[in-house]
Amino acid sequence: MNFFTRIFSFHFDRSFSGKSWRQLAWLFGVILIIFSSVYIAYCLSLDSTNAEHPLFQLICLFIDPGSIKDATAANMPQWLAVCVAIIGLILFCGLLISVISNMLERRVERFREGDIVYPMRNHIVIIGFDDMVPTLIQQICDDPKYKKCYILVQSSRPAAEIRSKIHTELDAKDEKRIVILHARRDSIEDLEKLYTTKAMEVFLIGERDEHDHDSLNIECLKKIVDIHKTQKECPLIPFTVLFEYQTTFAAFQITDLSSEWRQYIEFHPFNFYEEWAKKILVNCRYGKGKETIEYPPLDREPITYESKKHIHLVIIGMSRMGVAIGVEAAHLLHFPNFCRDPHCKSTITFIDEMADREMNFFRGRYRHYFEISSTTYYDMSTDTVSKHVIPPSRFQGKDSDFLDVEFEFIKGRAESPVIQQTISKWAESEDELLGIAICLNYPPQSMAMGLYLPDNIYNKNIPVFIRLETSAALLTMLNSKKAEEDVHKYSHVYPFGMLDNCYDIDKNSIHMAQSVNYVYEFYNKHNSLPESLPQEDVLKKLWNQIPVAHQWSNLYNAYSIKLKLRSLNVTQLDHLQLNSHQIDLLAQVEHNRWNLEKLLLGFRKPTPQELAIINKDSQKKREYKNKWFVHADICPYHELSDGSKNYDKCITGGIPVIVRNNK
């Protein structure tokens, strides 16, 4: 008896608390059993002379207990009519209404909890949720490209919490486009509910404060590719994937996805710290509308061929943000005056209390750069300042120190008198364009450091970038220009690093990089420059055929174009033309930039023995480059072959057509 009770109770409770159709099935099953029993009892109580339609009378009484008089008038026993009326009252007027009401309440509850799956098409999918997602959604809603498509947000966080955060960013009109699904991104069953094979674009963000965030994102990507494999004629879907750690992000800058994966997804990795470095140094802009912050370029006066000045970027704090800004600056800060005077190098100085340890990590991560370049290390942690010049770890003589960017490391607390005096001395230098980025991990400490630098930093309007995390309101208020004064003490102090708005849907940079790639491919095929660029779909097709390392090379080249033109004093981009002298000069600048790019992405210069092998065998040259990341063209510009120089001139000569098509 206990066994049957347990089995019946278990199945009833599980079914009745599950989907709505199960509740209806149980209800109608009970109604059918009871009605059949009553009908049999009624039939047994009748004789052949009784009513001709007992079933119809019974149904009417079951549905409408008020028809009991009609039933007794048709010779139905009163006791039976009363029983049928009571049962019908309970089942139809009680349970049925309760079940339907419960179904509606349950559906509303499931919608609020994000448990309802909708078949979707041409929608945007955002997998995961953190502080940047509401701003990302706002960008999608504002972008005409996405028109009025639905935005599906999948997260393991409570749907009510997600709605609350989104509500603060969006207006009621845009909120109607949001669909929230409560699910996990490591479950293939949950991922199938996203209909990514029919999506317009997918953003794989991940959840906040995950220990193995990057591994979970890659595992999620793998499962999605497996889903796409099962679909016939699945289109190529753009996937923008967040990597929290710079080491993972850097690996995917040179390591291509498998060719099988690239048949189904268009892969775009990004990193929080790299994105902010790009905002400050490349886009020079944050936010939109009245809340826009314009960041000054580090070359706030053009550094031309004749200029005697160089950029000096000081980064206080070797945090992940500080390292990202330093590396991004090394990709960008290349100028023509180095071609005239090898002493005019851009200098990036890191100041950190643990600079000796952090320097070793940095040198290990970018070991191929330090195989060529010397490093200066200062110990200012005590009253006695010591200076050490660390020579290149592998190359000497003409094979070393030909790069136009140098790194310095200073050990000590930035607030100490000796370092404050050093910063003040840099500000007075006539040959330096100084910029300061404060990248400490503790935002209040960054704020204090940024607002209490030596007075001449503020007097000379030297830009100071202060890393925050939550709100930039205080610094924005201090930075804002007063009506009665265009410049004041903190007018050149800028906030950056806020968590809520790190990613920009920057289609223009991608399009410009695709244009660079097209110019290169066109020259490689026709040995001449194109007069115009093709349609976007042609650019995109060529882009998706090249390795991801080449894509990043084109991106970094595209980032540098505005800075190159500023170094020529070019301000008018309409009808832009470059003469042969300008092309030759910028070709040298481009090669210097390319040297840094390859070294920072993990390529290395070949040894003399390897170079001899490479020069003899073209197949070995490709093997060294593609398999071992050894590139023979990492050398001074004058050592390049004429063929390699022509590629630099080709990319430089193509700048006008690239700019005309990317205004």
Side-chain angles (χ1 to χ4, degrees), residues 364-395:
R365 179 176 170 185
Y366 301 106
R367 65 178 71 250
H368 301 311
Y369 167 88
F370 291 101
E371 289 176 349
I372 298 172
S373 184
S374 302
T375 311
T376 306
Y377 169 75
Y378 298 89
D379 188 346
M380 297 186 180
S381 59
T382 62
D383 294 336
T384 304
V385 177
S386 60
K387 175 183 177 181
H388 307 276
V389 178
I390 305 172
S393 61
R394 190 167 193 171
F395 295 92

Side-chain angles (χ1 to χ4, degrees), residues 190-232:
D190 286 348
L191 292 173
E192 287 174 342
K193 301 173 183 178
L194 303 178
Y195 294 91
T196 55
T197 57
K198 299 178 182 179
M200 181 187 299
E201 192 167 349
V202 178
F203 295 88
L204 178 49
I205 304 299
E207 306 292 344
R208 184 179 58 192
D209 300 329
E210 288 179 317
H211 178 67
D212 51 352
H213 175 278
D214 294 353
S215 298
L216 286 172
N217 273 3
I218 289 297
E219 184 64 26
C220 174
L221 199 62
K222 179 180 181 298
K223 287 181 167 64
I224 290 176
V225 171
D226 291 338
I227 294 171
H228 286 217
K229 288 179 185 177
T230 63
Q231 302 293 318
K232 293 183 179 180

Side-chain angles (χ1 to χ4, degrees), residues 478-523:
L478 291 173
N479 169 277
S480 62
K481 310 293 187 295
K482 308 289 177 59
E484 64 276 8
E485 51 180 344
D486 292 333
V487 178
H488 57 91
K489 182 174 182 178
Y490 297 121
S491 60
H492 289 75
V493 177
Y494 305 90
F496 77 98
M498 286 70 76
L499 297 173
D500 61 342
N501 189 4
C502 89
Y503 182 73
D504 288 331
I505 302 177
D506 186 10
K507 302 299 182 184
N508 186 60
S509 292
I510 293 290
H511 190 267
M512 186 171 283
Q514 292 172 348
S515 303
V516 172
N517 177 61
Y518 177 79
V519 169
Y520 182 88
E521 295 292 338
F522 189 93
Y523 179 84

Side-chain angles (χ1 to χ4, degrees), residues 54-149:
L55 180 60
F56 178 74
Q57 293 174 358
L58 199 61
I59 291 174
C60 290
L61 184 58
F62 219 74
I63 296 174
D64 182 15
S67 63
I68 190 170
K69 290 184 178 180
D70 296 333
T72 53
N75 297 323
M76 179 183 291
Q78 290 184 352
W79 65 270
L80 183 60
V82 172
C83 290
V84 171
I86 294 174
I87 293 172
L89 188 67
I90 294 173
L91 293 179
F92 277 93
C93 298
L95 289 181
L96 182 59
I97 294 175
S98 297
V99 167
I100 293 175
S101 175
N102 180 64
M103 287 170 55
L104 294 175
E105 290 178 1
R106 176 61 179 157
R107 187 163 184 85
V108 171
E109 181 183 354
R110 289 181 61 211
F111 174 79
R112 289 174 177 169
E113 293 177 354
D115 288 337
I116 300 179
V117 179
Y118 302 97
M120 307 188 79
R121 180 184 294 272
N122 294 328
H123 57 297
I124 305 297
V125 179
I126 300 176
I127 303 175
F129 192 88
D130 65 6
D131 292 328
M132 79 176 71
V133 171
T135 310
L136 173 61
I137 293 174
Q138 182 67 70
Q139 291 184 61
I140 294 171
C141 292
D142 293 341
D143 194 330
K145 173 190 173 184
Y146 300 108
K147 297 180 181 178
K148 294 186 178 181
C149 61

Side-chain angles (χ1 to χ4, degrees), residues 43-52:
C43 290
L44 292 175
S45 67
L46 295 175
D47 55 33
S48 58
T49 61
N50 273 64
E52 297 180 359

Side-chain angles (χ1 to χ4, degrees), residues 421-559:
Q421 291 168 9
T422 302
I423 294 174
S424 179
K425 182 180 177 181
W426 288 333
E428 297 296 333
S429 174
E430 295 293 332
D431 296 333
E432 294 186 354
L433 290 175
L434 185 65
I436 300 175
I438 300 175
C439 304
L440 302 174
N441 283 321
Y442 187 50
Q445 188 179 1
S446 293
M447 177 77 83
M449 178 66 65
L451 298 181
Y452 297 103
L453 290 168
D455 289 338
N456 58 350
I457 296 294
Y458 310 110
N459 296 338
K460 290 181 173 292
N461 299 326
I462 292 170
V464 178
F465 308 97
I466 301 178
R467 186 204 173 178
L468 302 178
E469 286 187 355
T470 52
S471 173
L474 177 57
L475 266 187
T476 302
M477 185 182 301
L478 291 173
N479 169 277
S480 62
K481 310 293 187 295
K482 308 289 177 59
E484 64 276 8
E485 51 180 344
D486 292 333
V487 178
H488 57 91
K489 182 174 182 178
Y490 297 121
S491 60
H492 289 75
V493 177
Y494 305 90
F496 77 98
M498 286 70 76
L499 297 173
D500 61 342
N501 189 4
C502 89
Y503 182 73
D504 288 331
I505 302 177
D506 186 10
K507 302 299 182 184
N508 186 60
S509 292
I510 293 290
H511 190 267
M512 186 171 283
Q514 292 172 348
S515 303
V516 172
N517 177 61
Y518 177 79
V519 169
Y520 182 88
E521 295 292 338
F522 189 93
Y523 179 84
N524 195 38
K525 186 176 181 180
H526 303 284
N527 201 31
S528 63
L529 292 173
E531 295 181 359
S532 61
L533 298 182
Q535 297 295 322
E536 186 173 351
D537 57 339
V538 177
L539 294 176
K540 190 173 182 180
K541 182 178 180 181
L542 284 172
W543 179 259
N544 290 327
Q545 291 173 354
I546 63 175
V548 70
H550 292 179
Q551 291 180 350
W552 278 103
S553 183
N554 290 320
L555 274 166
Y556 284 124
N557 180 286
Y559 295 160

